[in-house]
């Protein structure tokens, strides 16, 4: 595993002053924007050349000067006019030009849609939170007042909220309660090019809500689709030939450098490049695109150690979804003179968040994405290659404020082999959850107006999974059972909803609530890189021989018994913030349980009941030991290993139930519980009649 290797391998930079250099050669100079030419010839281009009428914004206030400097500000009147004239509008503009932060404010200030709320959807939680905070600051209001945000398990809005930044998943859930989305007068579907599964479903839902509201002479709904880049014809056609506006951004030339030879290890290559720039390059901050939290923390650790040897200060700042918000604010702070910062980010900095001061981009060429495996019916998180379009977006981040350089740690030939565009998530993810929610809305996914329709096999696999979970009566009628309707109430994967509902039968709702809440958040274990052994030693007292799920339960019980929670968490290398978050999630789930008449019963020490209950939803997630630490998944026969973070890593039980599959250098299963054939047959007899245990590789 790449991230593990990083942490264990000797650091190449501590002894040597100069790391091994990746040789780059220049293959594209003066990159401006691959589509610049085309865009200029497009009708409807709004130019920020100053010839427009001066914007008429008189409201004095905080940060207004900064707003006025954004390219979008000059075209404000024209933009507002177009929004007024068109029910549906597609807006395309370079990342950082001000779409997400300014357009909602323009609409609000011009009193368009004043009778309702303006929703702005984001595929990523971290972007919804960060951008709403930025807008609240610009409007000089406390967050949650006029401007708020809603993400899963966290709602920072009030009656006063008019600009609501939210994840696409949350708006989808609101549609389950009101398919006309009457609360909203304007819905902005942002980052549309990312084609996240929920945004894709929202396209259809919002389009229908708009039509129904027009037909029934209810208050009209305006829909704006925004993006930095997109297949315009495809989008416009789907949205009934909606008008497309191109906003001019500021983009300085970026020199693109590719690696001369293919690199074996993209992490090592990124590290070498960081120091090559830091030691030799003129001032300017560095943005490195990596794949996920573990990898980023591993690289950050190495960079920090190596940077101690350097004369000039190098500030290392990670940027990923699960990081604390206060730390995220540091990323946006200007770098003091004579210092340089290096931001190690996931693809959130690709188009969602714009960081000032970046002059150098290092593109690892990789991204972590959810990938569906049709044969297993499971999604797995996999590190994979980016698309050419993603790589161009990353490149563009180097030329926001002045000319910059982008280092691609892969060759030009490798770039040419990358797919041109990223496949929409809906075509590569498990559809069970989406299908369940659509059925709850009274919509059959087979008839749904998708922009790109998922394959028959993917739809069939989702139906089959819902049938196995007991959520639908039959695969043919696809009518929701009462269990299915209940399952749709929970903002969870259908398997987890099923487990929560079954906990009533096994009298362990208290325990399952805890486990589900902890599985829904980030890790509660702190694995400090400096004191890894000590941390593991402290964690041992929570370990359960039954596996990770019961271990999580032990941690939570201990957490609740701590007198001084923050301090004791630190002493035990537990993540206090994630535990507090989990207890909040737990409260919210407990409320939904009560609404569904699921009493909060406890099984006490009888944790076998908890494992039985887990089987009720996870029976498709069982692995069987083969030889030499290798496991095979009962459902798909895929080969996997136990993830090193699991408490069962060394035990190697014969049968295990898992919560997820992760794929780095190979496939691992994570969050495990020991099970045995007797338990499996007792809880899911039908399934195990069809899927015989005792397979040999
Ligand atoms: O949506 P789009 O990519 O067009 O731009 P935006 O997110 O609205 O950001 C507009 C500008 O605000 C960017 O150029 C950022 O530099 C700035 N910004 C910032 O400085 N700090 C933030 N937390 C958010 C945005
Ligand atoms: Mg944006």
């Amino acid at each position: 595993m790449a991230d593990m290797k990083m942490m264990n391998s000797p650091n190449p930079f501590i002894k040597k002053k100069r790391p091994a250099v990746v040789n780059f050669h220049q293959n594209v100079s003066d990159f401006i924007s691959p589509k610049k030419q085309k865009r200029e010839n497009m009708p409807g281009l709004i130019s920020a050349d100053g010839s427009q009428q001066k914007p008429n914004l008189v409201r004095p206030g905080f940060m207004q000067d900064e707003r006025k400097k954004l390219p979008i500000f000059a075209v404000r009147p024209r933009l507002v006019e177009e929004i007024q004239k068109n029910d549906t509008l597609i807006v395309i503009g370079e990342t950082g030009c001000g779409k997400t932060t300014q357009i909602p404010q323009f609409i609000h200030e011009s009193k368009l849609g004043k009778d309702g709320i303006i929703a702005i959807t984001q595929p990523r939680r971290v972007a919804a939170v960060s951008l709403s905070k930025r807008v609240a600051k610009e409007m000089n209001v406390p967050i949650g007042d006029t401007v708020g945000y809603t993400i899963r398990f966290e709602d920072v809005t009030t009656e006063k909220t008019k600009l609501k930044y939210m994840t696409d998943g949350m708006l989808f859930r609101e549609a389950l309660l009101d398919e006309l989305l009457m609360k909203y007068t304007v819905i902005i579907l942002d980052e549309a090019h990312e084609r996240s599964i929920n945004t894709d479903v929202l396209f259809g839902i919002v389009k229908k809500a708009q039509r129904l509201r027009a037909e029934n002479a209810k208050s009209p709904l305006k829909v704006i689709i925004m993006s930095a880049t997109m297949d315009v014809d495809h989008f416009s056609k789907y949205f009934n030939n909606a008008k497309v506006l191109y906003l001019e951004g500021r983009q300085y030339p970026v020199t693109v450098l590719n690696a001369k030879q293919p690199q074996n290890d993209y992490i090592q290559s990124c590290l070498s490049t960081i120091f090559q720039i830091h030691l030799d390059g003129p001032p300017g901050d560095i943005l490195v695109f990596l794949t996920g939290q573990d990898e980023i923390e591993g690289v950050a650790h190495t960079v920090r150690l190596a940077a101690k040897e350097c004369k000039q200060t190098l500030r290392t700042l990670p940027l990923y979804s699960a990081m604390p918000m206060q730390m995220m604010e540091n990323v946006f702070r200007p770098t003091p003179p004579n210092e340089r910062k290096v931001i190690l980010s996931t693809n959130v900095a690709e188009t969602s968040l714009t960081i000032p001061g970046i002059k150098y981009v290092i593109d690892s060429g990789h991204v972590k994405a959810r990938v569906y495996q049709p044969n297993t019916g499971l999604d797995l998180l996999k590190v994979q290659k980016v698309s050419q379009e993603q790589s161009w977006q990353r490149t563009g981040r180097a030329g926001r404020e002045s000319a910059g350089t982008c280092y691609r740690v892969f060759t030009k030939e490798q770039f040419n082999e990358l797919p041109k565009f990223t496949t929409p998530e809906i075509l590569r993810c498990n559809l069970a959850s989406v299908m369940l929610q659509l059925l709850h809305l009274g919509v059959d996914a087979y008839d749904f107006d998708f922009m790109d329709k998922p394959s028959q096999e993917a739809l069939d696999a989702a139906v089959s999974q819902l049938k196995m979970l007991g959520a639908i009566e039959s695969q043919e009628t696809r009518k929701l059972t009462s269990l299915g309707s209940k399952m749709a109430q929970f903002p969870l994967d259908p398997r987890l909803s099923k487990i929560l509902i079954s906990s009533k039968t096994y009298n362990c709702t208290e325990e399952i609530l805890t486990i589900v809440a902890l599985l829904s958040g980030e890790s509660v274990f702190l694995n400090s890189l400096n004191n890894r052994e000590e941390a593991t030693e402290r964690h041992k007292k929570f370990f359960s021989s039954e596996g990770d799920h019961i271990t999580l339960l032990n941690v939570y019980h201990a957490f609740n018994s701590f007198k001084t929670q923050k301090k004791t968490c630190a002493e035990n290398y537990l993540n206090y913030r994630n535990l507090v978050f989990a207890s909040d999630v737990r409260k919210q789930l407990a409320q939904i349980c009560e609404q569904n008449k699921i009493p909060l019963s406890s099984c006490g020490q009888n944790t076998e009941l908890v494992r039985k209950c887990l089987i009720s939803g996870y029976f498709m997630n069982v692995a069987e030991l083969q030889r030499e630490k290798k496991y095979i998944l009962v459902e798909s026969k895929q080969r996997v290993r136990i993830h090193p973070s699991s408490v069962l890593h060394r035990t190697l039980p014969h049968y295990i139930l898992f919560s997820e599959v992760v794929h780095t250098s190979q496939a691992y299963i994570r969050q495990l519980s020991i099970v045995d054939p007797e338990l499996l047959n007792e809880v899911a007899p039908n399934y195990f009649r069809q899927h015989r245990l005792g397979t040999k590789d």
Side-chain angles (χ1 to χ4, degrees), residues 63 66 70-72 93-103 122 130-131 133-135 137-138 190-191 226-228 247 332 351-356 400-401:
M63 292 177 89
E66 269 197 45
L70 289 171
I72 204 168
E94 210 74 64
T95 300
C97 78
K99 297 181 298 300
T100 313
T101 55
Q102 304 310 310
I103 291 181
Q122 294 290 319
S130 163
L131 292 163
K133 287 191 173 166
R134 167 76 183 191
V135 172
K137 214 161 148 195
E138 286 185 2
D190 200 1
E191 301 286 331
M226 301 202 303
S227 179
L247 303 177
F332 293 97
T351 58
S352 302
L353 297 179
T354 304
I355 302 150
R400 280 271 305 133
E401 290 164 22

Side-chain angles (χ1 to χ4, degrees), residues 22 97 129-130 213 254 273 311 332-333 351 373 376 431 460 469 492 517-518 550 553 617 648 650 675:
V22 179
C97 78
V129 179
S130 163
R213 277 165 65 165
V254 177
T273 312
K311 262 201 231 137
F332 293 97
R333 286 215 176 96
T351 58
Q373 298 188 299
T376 55
L431 298 172
D460 291 349
L469 289 168
L492 299 168
L518 287 166
I550 309 295
L553 203 54
L648 298 180
R650 294 186 202 287
V675 284

Side-chain angles (χ1 to χ4, degrees), residues 138-181:
E138 286 185 2
M139 291 173 69
N140 200 15
V141 291
I143 186 78
D145 207 83
T146 318
V147 188
Y149 67 87
T150 305
I151 59 178
R152 191 171 74 143
F153 301 125
E154 207 181 333
D155 182 12
V156 185
T157 62
T158 52
E159 307 250 292
K160 285 200 232 161
T161 304
K162 288 286 179 195
L163 269 61
K164 182 162 158 185
Y165 286 79
M166 60 205 300
T167 48
D168 44 15
M170 288 314 294
L171 189 61
F172 181 23
R173 290 201 63 79
E174 286 194 12
L176 301 185
L177 303 173
D178 173 19
E179 76 167 325
L180 294 181
L181 294 160

Side-chain angles (χ1 to χ4, degrees), residues 248-315:
E248 211 171 68
R250 271 186 218 117
Q251 180 70 45
Y252 294 87
V254 177
T255 306
V256 178
L257 301 172
N258 274 86
K260 274 188 179 162
Q261 287 97 25
Q263 303 290 304
N264 294 333
D265 182 339
Y266 69 82
I267 294 179
Q268 284 302 337
S269 312
C270 287
L271 279 164
S272 313
T273 312
I274 292 170
F275 284 93
Q276 197 180 319
I277 298 167
H278 185 53
L279 298 175
D280 294 336
D285 296 331
I286 311 171
L287 172 62
V288 191
F289 286 100
L290 293 163
T291 67
Q293 175 174 358
D294 288 355
E295 184 181 280
I296 287 173
E297 288 296 351
V299 172
H301 180 66
T302 312
V303 173
R304 283 187 191 119
L305 282 179
K308 284 187 189 155
E309 307 275 309
C310 303
K311 262 201 231 137
Q312 196 200 10
T313 309
L314 182 65
R315 273 176 204 266

Side-chain angles (χ1 to χ4, degrees), residues 498-568:
K498 168 80 186 279
I499 291 169
L500 250 181
I501 296 165
S502 310
S503 68
K504 186 176 172 179
T505 316
Y506 297 99
N507 283 323
C508 57
T509 306
E510 292 279 9
E511 288 74 17
I512 291 292
L513 274 172
T514 303
I515 293 171
V516 172
L518 287 166
L519 288 178
S520 302
E522 300 298 328
S523 175
V524 293
F525 293 111
L526 280 177
N527 281 311
S528 156
L529 290 154
N530 302 328
N531 304 320
R532 191 161 269 259
E533 275 164 29
E534 194 186 329
T536 314
E537 210 42 55
R538 295 285 165 92
H539 292 160
K540 274 191 182 150
K541 62 174 166 294
F542 306 112
F543 286 5
S544 160
S545 56
E546 291 176 88
D548 302 299
H549 297 113
I550 309 295
T551 299
L552 287 178
L553 203 54
N554 293 342
V555 170
Y556 192 75
H557 282 156
F559 172 68
N560 275 337
S561 71
F562 294 160
K563 280 207 183 72
T564 45
Q565 284 181 321
K566 206 167 184 173
K567 186 166 155 269
T568 320

Side-chain angles (χ1 to χ4, degrees), residues 51 59 151:
S51 60
R59 188 169 63 84
I151 59 178

Side-chain angles (χ1 to χ4, degrees), residues 446-469:
Y446 286 83
D447 307 327
F448 189 71
D449 177 20
F450 285 111
M451 183 183 256
D452 288 288
K453 200 171 177 113
S455 69
Q456 182 77 22
E457 297 89 83
L459 289 166
D460 291 349
V463 170
S464 143
Q465 204 181 94
L466 291 180
K467 175 70 183 80
M468 284 195 276
L469 289 168

